[in-house]
């Protein structure tokens, strides 16, 4: 969107008073400025400046201690480039506003390698150089909950007024009870150009999943996921609920995942995973092998928080092992059935709490590594992966941080800058969690041991 197009867009939306100009940080949080609508030219022409360190802040919005971005450079600014996605109206604020998506560039004109969106752009460029285009679809799960309680509880039905008290997997009634909320979500998605598809009621009380249609641009797919999460939270508040994409908000209910489906098409638009049968092409198997080889190293991008590891438990509808299989939802990598023309890979590890740019960089980068090195996967599993002796995903946050720090393939997927920023950010968060004593610990130990 050029300056003239942006001004024309505002002329068509005279009600817009201000613009949220935002970049996405390592945690998937949008950070930036609110500027008056008459400064749109500054937004789209790269005139906004923000500290480069803003994309590396911890989950509480605090600087990472001893970060060279803060202390060695004097917390220098970077330039905020407009990504080109048209301005998007926000329908859940009290006054008419719009959102502009930006990404970071250094003062010398080069892209900032610590920006997670830049990392995904690098991988997408490598595929283009091989004449291939990733076609990506995402599935995001989330919970609605009652914001009036100290701890999350299932919401009350807008129809009956009763609190949801049971799992409602694929329940049409539950979808219909929250019809007004879901309708507004779909309306807002249409306004923001997000290709929302089917909605289902998921396994937990108040849990929903909305799928996105396949798009032939991984950056667009990641943008859609980031925008969708913000949109759902905003509209939920408008309807008197709250929404969470925490991986495991309830210890005894299903977690929320971020499943990614992808295929690759050549310059003629042909799906290079399709061999006319169920097994897929050798190139698809190379991609599967690369995903398996990098999965443990990259688990931090799929499960980036303390809470993430409560989801990755055996039998909890989330993978725990490095495995793949055909039409097997207990495996981390699933090859769905159906028409061979739609042959694709489903990656099931990431939680809904993960940063979509980092998730897609890990997945597509791992697949490309397998293709480049002609890797061959182990045999696909059949049956229950939870009961098999397989290599585990990291079982805790500290192990995942260490695996990402030491992973031999990580530097080929992420810049040294981003790898360092991610490790430092997550290490700082881990240390803060380690200093917290929970109420459950008090209840268990205080007067017993």
């Amino acid at each position: 969107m050029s300056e003239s197009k942006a001004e024309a867009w505002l002329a068509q939306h005279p009600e817009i008073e201000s613009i949220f100009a935002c970049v996405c940080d390592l945690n998937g949080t949008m950070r930036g400025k609110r500027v008056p609508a008459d400064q749109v030219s500054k937004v789209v022409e790269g005139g906004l400046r923000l500290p480069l360190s803003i994309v590396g802040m911890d989950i509480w919005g605090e600087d990472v201690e001893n970060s060279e971005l803060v202390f060695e450079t004097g917390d220098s600014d970077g330039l905020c480039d407009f990504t080109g996605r048209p301005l998007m109206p926000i329908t859940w604020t009290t006054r008419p506003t719009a959102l502009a998506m930006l990404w970071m560039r250094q003062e010398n004109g080069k892209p900032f390698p610590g920006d997670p969106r830049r990392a995904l752009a690098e991988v997408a460029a490598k595929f283009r150089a091989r004449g291939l285009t990733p076609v990506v679809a995402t599935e995001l799960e989330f919970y609605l909950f009652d914001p009036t309680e100290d701890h999350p509880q299932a919401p009350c039905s807008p129809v009956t007024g009763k609190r949801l008290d049971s799992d409602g997997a694929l329940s049409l009634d539950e979808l219909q009870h929250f019809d007004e909320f879901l309708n507004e979500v779909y309306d807002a998605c249409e306004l923001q150009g997000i290709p929302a598809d089917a909605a289902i009621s998921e396994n937990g009380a108040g849990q929903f999943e909305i799928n996105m249609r396949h798009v032939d641009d991984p950056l667009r797919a990641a943008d859609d996921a980031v925008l969708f999460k913000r949109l759902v939270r905003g509209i939920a508040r408008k309807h008197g609920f709250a929404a969470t994409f925490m991986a495991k908000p309830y210890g005894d209910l299903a977690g929320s995942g971020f499943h990614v489906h992808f295929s690759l098409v050549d310059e003629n638009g042909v799906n290079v995973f399709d061999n006319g049968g169920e097994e897929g092409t050798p190139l698809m198997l190379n991609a599967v092998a690369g995903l398996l080889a990098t999965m443990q190293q990259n688990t931090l991008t799929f499960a980036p928080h303390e809470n993430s590891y409560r989801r990755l438990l055996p039998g909890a509808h989330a993978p725990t092992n490095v495995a793949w299989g055909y039409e097997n939802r207990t495996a981390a990598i699933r090859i769905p059935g159906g028409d061979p023309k739609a042959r694709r890979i489903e990656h099931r590890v990431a939680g809904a709490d993960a940063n979509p740019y980092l998730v897609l960089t890990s997945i597509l980068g791992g697949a490309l590594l397998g293709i480049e090195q002609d890797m061959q996967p182990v045999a696909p599993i059949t049956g229950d992966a939870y009961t098999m002796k397989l290599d585990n995903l990291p079982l805790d946050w500290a192990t995942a941080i260490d695996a990402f720090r030491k992973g031999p393939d990580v530097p080929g997927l992420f810049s040294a800058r981003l790898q360092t920023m991610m490790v430092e950010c997550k290490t700082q968060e881990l240390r803060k969690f380690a200093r917290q004593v929970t109420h459950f610990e008090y209840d268990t130990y205080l007067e017993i041991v």
Side-chain angles (χ1 to χ4, degrees):
M1 178 179 276
S2 65
E3 179 180 352
S4 59
K5 288 183 178 180
E7 291 177 345
W9 187 91
L10 284 178
Q12 295 171 357
H13 299 81
E15 73 281 3
I16 300 296
E17 299 177 2
S18 57
I19 298 169
F20 288 100
C22 307
V23 299
C24 183
D25 74 5
L26 291 179
N27 279 309
T29 300
M30 302 292 279
R31 300 188 183 279
K33 298 179 178 180
R34 173 175 167 163
V35 299
D38 60 12
Q39 292 188 27
V40 65
S41 60
K42 186 176 182 180
V43 173
V44 301
E45 293 298 317
L48 286 183
R49 301 172 68 89
L50 290 170
L52 292 171
S53 62
I54 196 173
V55 298
M57 290 180 167
D58 69 17
I59 195 69
W60 301 283
E62 297 176 358
D63 286 328
V64 172
E65 295 179 8
N66 301 318
S67 167
E68 64 181 35
L69 284 176
V70 177
F71 299 104
E72 293 185 17
T73 68
D75 203 12
S76 61
D77 275 347
L79 302 174
C80 298
D81 286 337
F82 192 54
T83 64
R85 186 167 186 140
L87 298 174
M88 292 164 284
I90 299 174
T91 61
W92 55 91
T93 52
T94 55
R95 303 289 288 271
T97 57
L99 186 141
M101 295 195 76
L102 311 174
W103 52 351
M104 301 295 292
R105 177 165 49 91
Q106 299 172 104
E107 195 74 62
N108 61 11
K110 296 181 180 180
F112 178 51
D115 186 318
R117 195 175 190 273
R118 298 287 190 186
L120 181 55
E122 287 288 320
V123 173
K126 292 178 181 178
F127 274 104
R128 285 197 302 272
R130 296 180 69 92
L132 297 171
T133 300
V135 179
V136 181
T138 62
E139 301 171 351
L140 269 166
E141 297 169 337
F142 62 92
Y143 275 93
L144 293 180
F145 65 95
D146 184 346
T148 65
E149 304 292 335
D150 291 337
H151 298 285
Q153 291 192 33
C156 294
S157 163
V159 174
T160 67
K162 296 180 179 179
R163 192 177 303 281
L164 303 183
D165 60 1
S166 63
D167 293 350
L170 299 176
S171 167
L172 294 182
D173 287 340
E174 194 162 312
L175 287 174
Q176 291 170 351
H177 286 197
F178 293 88
D179 197 45
E180 290 187 10
F181 162 75
L182 291 171
N183 284 340
E184 187 160 352
V185 166
Y186 275 95
D187 289 344
C189 283
E190 183 174 358
L191 285 173
Q192 295 197 357
I194 300 170
D197 198 5
I200 63 173
S201 173
E202 263 293 351
N203 288 302
Q207 187 184 34
F208 297 90
E209 175 184 288
I210 295 183
N211 302 333
M212 302 296 160
R213 294 190 294 275
H214 286 80
V215 295
D216 60 358
D217 179 353
L219 282 169
R220 180 67 182 241
D223 288 345
D224 290 338
V226 170
L227 292 167
F228 176 78
K229 291 170 73 171
R230 185 170 183 82
L231 176 155
V232 166
R233 285 191 291 261
I235 293 175
R237 287 193 295 270
K238 184 177 177 180
H239 284 260
F241 310 119
T244 181
F245 291 86
M246 279 181 68
K248 192 77 167 178
Y250 303 103
D252 57 349
L253 297 179
S256 292
F258 175 43
H259 299 162
V260 176
H261 294 248
F262 78 97
S263 58
L264 298 174
V265 298
D266 64 17
E267 292 169 325
N268 297 315
V270 175
N271 180 1
V272 297
F273 288 171
D274 172 23
N275 71 337
E278 296 179 355
E279 65 275 10
T281 62
L283 190 124
M284 187 195 81
L285 298 181
N286 296 153
V288 168
L291 293 172
L292 297 175
T294 56
M295 189 177 293
Q296 292 167 305
Q297 302 172 49
N298 288 335
T299 295
L300 184 62
T301 65
F302 307 135
H305 307 294
E306 169 76 13
N307 178 259
S308 305
Y309 295 85
R310 299 187 186 280
R311 171 178 168 268
L312 300 179
L313 297 173
H317 302 288
T320 58
N321 303 313
V322 180
W324 76 288
Y326 292 91
E327 275 295 5
N328 191 330
R329 285 185 168 85
T330 70
I333 304 296
R334 167 179 171 257
I335 309 302
D339 189 342
K341 293 180 181 179
R343 187 64 62 233
R344 63 193 185 276
I345 295 171
E346 180 188 11
H347 197 286
R348 298 176 57 80
V349 180
D353 57 341
N355 180 324
Y357 299 113
L358 300 183
V359 169
L360 290 188
T361 301
S362 291
I363 293 173
L364 297 178
L368 183 60
L369 183 69
I371 293 169
E372 290 174 337
Q373 298 186 10
D374 193 27
M375 293 182 180
Q376 300 301 315
V378 297
I381 67 164
T382 57
D384 185 359
Y386 299 124
T387 64
M388 299 178 184
K389 292 184 178 180
L390 300 164
D391 290 338
N392 288 324
L393 296 173
L395 300 178
D396 59 77
W397 200 14
T399 302
I401 294 170
D402 198 47
F404 191 76
R405 178 193 291 114
K406 297 177 180 177
D409 296 312
V410 173
L413 306 180
F414 296 96
S415 70
R417 168 72 75 190
L418 192 147
Q419 183 183 15
T420 297
M421 288 171 57
M422 186 72 169
V423 168
E424 290 179 346
C425 175
K426 293 299 151 184
T427 299
Q428 176 163 300
E429 293 175 3
L430 173 65
R431 288 171 179 164
K432 191 164 185 176
F433 269 95
R435 292 193 292 267
Q436 305 303 310
V437 181
T438 67
H439 288 294
F440 186 64
E441 290 175 79
Y442 288 133
D443 292 343
T444 302
Y445 301 124
L446 195 60
E447 298 185 43
I448 303 297
V449 298

